[in-house]
Amino acid sequence: MVTKQFRGSPEEADLRRADSLAREIFSDVANKWALLIIEALSERTLRFSEVREEVEGISHKMLTQNLRMLERNGLVARTVHPTVPPRVEYTLTEPGQALRATVDGMCGWTQRYLGHIDTARRRFDA
């Protein structure tokens, strides 16, 4: 993975530009697994297996990749406790908690318009 180097002010970040760091970050966090992981971690710190239980259908590999990406972007903090075997916990950082408000809004939107979207899909697919 090649990381774009951002030079300039955050105001210059433009999601419409292909070479924008802002677009890279947006692409990272705007995927279903990342959003579901953020939602799972919204209430408390969880161990890997607990996150996997909360995010039904995610594979071990996808959970690992997404937790690493969220940690790399500073949205999730990973804590390793020196026990045998090691205990690893994940929690949202301050920016992760701030993103949670957006995720909660998207979840609310989904619930609100689920019937409308289902009806539209049935009409479209008929």
Side-chain angles (χ1 to χ4, degrees), residues 11-80:
E11 294 81 27
E12 295 174 39
D14 186 350
L15 286 173
R16 294 169 294 179
R17 290 187 43 188
D19 65 345
S20 168
L21 177 59
R23 185 184 282 190
E24 180 183 330
I25 295 166
F26 184 80
S27 177
D28 279 352
V29 299
N31 78 69
K32 70 178 179 182
W33 297 126
L35 296 174
L36 292 170
I37 291 167
I38 290 167
E39 184 65 21
L41 292 172
S42 66
E43 297 297 321
R44 62 191 172 98
T45 298
L46 297 173
R47 295 178 70 175
F48 184 93
S49 60
E50 293 172 320
V51 177
R52 191 162 179 203
E53 288 171 13
E54 291 286 325
V55 182
E56 189 173 316
I58 193 168
S59 69
H60 186 280
K61 178 182 177 182
M62 287 308 298
L63 180 55
T64 299
Q65 288 176 350
N66 277 273
L67 283 169
R68 286 181 182 162
M69 175 273 298
L70 291 167
E71 182 182 9
R72 179 176 181 261
N73 284 312
L75 303 174
V76 168
R78 178 177 180 264
T79 305
V80 180

Side-chain angles (χ1 to χ4, degrees), residues 3-14:
T3 299
K4 293 160 184 63
Q5 298 298 314
F6 180 69
R7 296 184 198 338
S9 67
E11 294 81 27
E12 295 174 39
D14 186 350

